Structures are given as C-alpha cells and as structure tokens.
C-alpha cells in the first residue's frame, strides 16, 4: 500500500486574470467568492502585453494600453469590494502576455483563476487558450471558470481519480469541499475498451482489473476520510467508452470538477493532459487542474 499523506492541503491566496471580457468578469467574481470562503487575499492580474508591443509600436500607444489596463484593474477591484467589502483585494499590471503574467504572479500564492474565453484586449485568444496555457505550466492549482454564471450550488465537489496515486492532489479537492461545506465525490471511469486488444488480456484479467480499480478508489476515499473526519466522502467507479465524456456529464451535478495534471513526457511541450483539456473545453462547471505526479506517461484519471 502507498504511504498516505499526513497533512491537509492549505488553500492560499487567489490570483485571477482580468481582461475585461464577459468570461473574465465571471471568473473575477468566482475568484472573489473563493477568496472570501478561504479568508485569503485576492490578487487581480492584467497581462497588458506591453513588453511585446514596445518592439513594434510607439511609446504613446504603449502608455495608452497600460493606462487602460490600470483603469480596468481599478474598476474590477471596486466591483469586487462592493460585493465583498471585507476582502483584501490588490491589483497587478504586467507588461507580459496573459499566460506569462499569471504564471509570474502565481508563484506559490495558492490558486490561479481564469475565464474560459478571452476577449477585450486579447481578441486573438481562442476558447480556453489562456486556461490551457496556465493549466499546463503552473506550479499551483488552476481553475477555469465554466458553466452558467448563476448556476445554483449542488453542495458537492467532484474529483476525477484513478486510485491512491492521485492522493496528493485529491487533498486539494478535499480542502475545497470542506471550505464550501460540501460533499466530496470521488469518481473514477473504467473504460474497458482501453484494455481490449492486448495479447495478454483475457476476460478474467479485465474482471480482476475492474475489481482492483474499485478497491483503489475505496482506499483513496478511506484515506481522505481519515484526514477530514467531518467531511462526507462518496466514491464511485463508472463505466463508459469515453473518460472525458463521462466526466463532462458528471460535471452537470457538481460545483467544481477537480482533476490532476499529467506528468510531462520527455521532449514534449507542456500540456494539462487529455482529460483536463477536454474538461476545460466542455465541462458544465468550473474545472480545477492540479499539478500532480502520476505514473510517468499516464493520463488522468
């Protein structure tokens, strides 16, 4: 049996990307509510991309972009304080492009929050590009805010897991559930088609592997309960021919979907992983992608 972690995940500062888009506005207030729940500061970051602009445009245009970015941060901070007057809010105007600006601001501050579509000053960004870029490279959890803005709370946080190897980042999901007073749902998807075709695979082997998955997820649930005695933890192994599709469906009934980030393969560009990529584009709820250290070359869940 793998050794269990012995401490809870500490939820820290919330860093949110601000770009003036409707999606960015939803992310802003989601992040503010998250920081308020945690009792932690909220840092607003605007990546003005003036470092690049300065190489091909005049100083006056760069100054105008910076002024507009500063005004956007001020307006955003005022809007947040009007809704959360006790919240510690600050702003940071960066000359870098949005992904680099957020990565630089995040450090080990806690959690980065972004919208799922950038507009405003970043019209060239496509669906999920900032979220994908930050989620692939950040050393902290990244939340991409999706779903209806006024979506009613379901009282649950869902973690997409495989087994005890996901325990380090599942601790983040448990901390989120506890902060919300919500239940934690551990969901694992058993895709039998992914096991078919091997010369060594037999029906008895498949049955045994399915039982092993159930035991692994139950073991993970037990470990989380031991660390969070008051937390309601439920676990379920679903069957389906598409892991991402099954998890997207599960996101219709949860407040936050949490998944781990696959370990980067050698000689490949940073990427959040196949499942996280699909969730960032299609989930019905906000998606948290947490840096993880799964078995080399494995995807999550």
């Amino acid at each position: 049996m793998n050794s269990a972690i012995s401490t809870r995940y500490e939820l820290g500062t919330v860093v949110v990307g601000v770009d003036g888009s409707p999606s960015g506005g939803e992310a802003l207030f989601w992040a503010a509510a998250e920081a308020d729940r945690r009792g932690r500061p909220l840092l607003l970051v605007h990546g003005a991309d003036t470092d690049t602009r300065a190489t091909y445009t005049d100083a006056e245009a760069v100054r105008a972009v910076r002024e507009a970015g500063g005004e956007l941060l001020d307006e955003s901070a005022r809007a947040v304080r009007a809704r959360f007057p006790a919240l510690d809010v600050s702003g940071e105007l960066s000359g870098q492009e949005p992904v680099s600006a957020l990565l630089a601001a995040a450090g080990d501050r806690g959690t980065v929050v972004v919208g799922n579509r950038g507009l405003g000053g970043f019209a060239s960004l496509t669906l999920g590009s900032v979220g994908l870029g930050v989620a692939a490279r950040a050393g902290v959890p990244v939340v991409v805010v999706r779903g209806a803005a006024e979506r009613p709370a379901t009282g649950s946080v869902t973690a997409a897991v495989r087994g005890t190897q996901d325990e380090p980042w599942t601790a983040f999901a448990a901390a989120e559930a506890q902060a919300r007073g919500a239940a934690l749902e551990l969901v694992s998807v058993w895709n039998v088609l992914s096991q078919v075709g091997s010369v060594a695979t037999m029906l008895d082997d498949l049955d045994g592997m399915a039982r092993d998955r159930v035991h692994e997820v139950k073991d993970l649930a037990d470990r989380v309960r031991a660390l969070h005695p008051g937390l309601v933890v439920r676990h379920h192994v679903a069957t389906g021919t598409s892991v991402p599709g099954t998890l997207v469906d599960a996101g219709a009934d949860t407040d936050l979907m949490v998944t781990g980030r696959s370990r980067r393969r050698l000689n490949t560009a940073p990427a959040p992983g196949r499942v996280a990529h699909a969730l960032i584009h299609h989930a019905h709820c906000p998606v948290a992608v947490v840096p993880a250290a799964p078995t080399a070359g494995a995807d999550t869940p």
Side-chain angles (χ1 to χ4, degrees):
M1 179 179 292
N2 298 334
S3 60
I5 55 174
S6 58
T7 58
R8 300 186 184 195
Y9 191 102
E10 293 295 329
L11 297 171
T13 297
V14 179
V15 178
V16 61
V18 176
D19 67 356
S21 70
S23 176
E26 292 173 9
L28 173 67
F29 288 112
W30 192 97
E34 177 71 10
D36 187 59
R37 259 192 305 271
R38 296 181 180 188
R40 299 286 189 171
L42 175 68
L43 174 62
L44 317 184
V45 176
H46 177 71
D49 200 17
T50 50
D51 292 351
T52 301
R53 292 172 191 263
T55 65
Y56 62 84
T57 190
D58 60 83
E60 185 62 34
V62 170
R63 185 161 44 251
V65 170
R66 291 188 63 84
E67 288 177 356
E71 291 173 2
L72 175 61
L73 284 171
D74 289 343
E75 291 171 3
S76 299
R78 284 194 295 270
V80 168
R81 292 189 183 106
R83 193 175 298 188
F84 300 93
L87 190 60
D88 179 358
V89 184
S90 60
E92 181 176 307
L93 178 63
S94 172
Q96 301 181 82
E97 48 80 28
V99 172
S100 297
L102 286 166
L103 290 172
D108 58 357
R109 290 175 185 264
T111 302
V112 177
V113 179
V114 294
N116 71 308
R117 185 189 293 272
L119 297 174
F122 312 118
S124 63
L125 297 181
T126 56
L127 175 64
S129 61
V130 170
L132 285 170
V134 178
R137 296 163 55 192
V140 296
V142 176
V143 178
V144 179
V145 177
R146 294 190 52 83
E150 301 301 323
R151 191 169 181 262
T154 66
S156 75
V157 170
T158 298
V161 301
R162 294 162 301 173
T164 51
Q165 70 266 45
D166 292 328
E167 184 176 6
W169 67 261
T170 302
F172 171 83
E176 277 287 344
Q178 194 140 56
R180 296 163 178 268
L184 176 62
E185 310 277 350
L186 303 182
V187 176
S188 186
V189 182
W190 172 249
N191 182 0
V192 67
L193 293 182
S194 67
Q195 307 297 329
V196 174
S198 168
V199 174
T201 299
M202 303 293 288
L203 290 178
D204 288 345
D205 295 326
L206 291 174
D207 202 32
M209 284 187 282
R211 285 195 301 270
D212 289 344
R213 174 67 69 92
V214 172
H215 292 154
E216 278 276 300
V217 176
K218 179 182 182 301
D219 190 12
L220 178 58
D222 289 341
R223 295 183 186 198
V224 175
R225 291 188 189 101
L227 204 57
H228 299 266
L231 181 64
V232 175
V233 182
R234 295 185 283 262
H235 62 280
H236 175 59
V237 176
T239 57
T241 57
S242 167
V243 173
T246 302
L247 292 173
V248 167
D249 290 342
D253 299 311
T254 194
D255 296 325
L256 178 68
M257 176 68 70
V258 184
T259 184
R261 186 178 76 203
S262 299
R263 176 183 291 175
R264 179 181 175 183
R265 294 179 174 87
L266 292 176
N267 303 317
T268 61
R274 175 178 59 90
V275 171
H277 188 283
L279 289 172
I280 288 171
H281 281 79
H282 302 295
H284 303 288
C285 65
V287 176
V289 181
V290 184
T295 302
D299 205 342
T300 301

